[in-house]
Amino acid sequence: MSEQQQVSSRERLGILKTLILGVSVLFYAYGVWNAVAHLVTVAQYGMNAYGWFVLIFSVLFPIIVFAAAFALGRRRGATEFAVVMLAGLALVAVFWMNVVALSALNFSSLTT
């Protein structure tokens, strides 16, 4: 296979997929920002190992889900790419609501 055939066989991101990716990145970054802010707020009260694990994982979770959603959707069409990114955002939102509920109802389990 020649070099020219390899380049033409690769799918490039179109303008629409790039726009979807840019908007998705902003929402995933907002999830990371909220998790970091919550981590800093709770850390002021002193945290145990379980609290550190839960809140650091809540910071990393949107990044992991974004990477997985991008890997799953990058070779698909724009509509499927948007659906995969939206499904990842829904997963991040559900996880974040669980972290907030844990912090609100069982704050003593996170702190020392």
Side-chain angles (χ1 to χ4, degrees):
M1 198 178 240
S2 70
E3 183 72 28
Q4 189 177 24
Q5 287 175 334
Q6 285 179 344
V7 172
S8 65
S9 66
R10 294 181 189 157
E11 183 181 339
R12 294 180 18 186
L13 248 57
I15 294 173
L16 183 59
K17 284 177 68 173
T18 305
L19 182 65
I20 293 167
L21 181 65
V23 171
S24 297
V25 164
L26 290 176
F27 283 114
Y28 281 101
Y30 181 73
V32 172
W33 183 262
N34 273 336
V36 168
H38 188 65
L39 172 67
V40 169
T41 303
V42 174
Q44 293 174 356
Y45 297 103
M47 292 193 314
N48 57 20
Y50 176 67
W52 281 109
F53 173 75
V54 168
L55 294 180
I56 288 176
F57 186 69
S58 71
V59 171
L60 296 176
F61 189 72
I63 299 167
I64 294 168
V65 172
F66 172 76
F70 182 73
L72 287 173
R74 68 183 172 139
R75 297 210 174 143
R76 303 188 189 279
T79 305
E80 289 119 357
F81 184 64
V83 168
V84 169
M85 291 306 235
L86 190 61
L89 281 171
L91 184 64
V92 168
V94 168
F95 181 76
W96 179 244
M97 291 304 290
N98 286 329
V99 169
V100 170
L102 175 70
S103 297
L105 298 176
N106 297 325
F107 188 73
S108 62
S109 70
L110 300 175
T111 58
T112 54

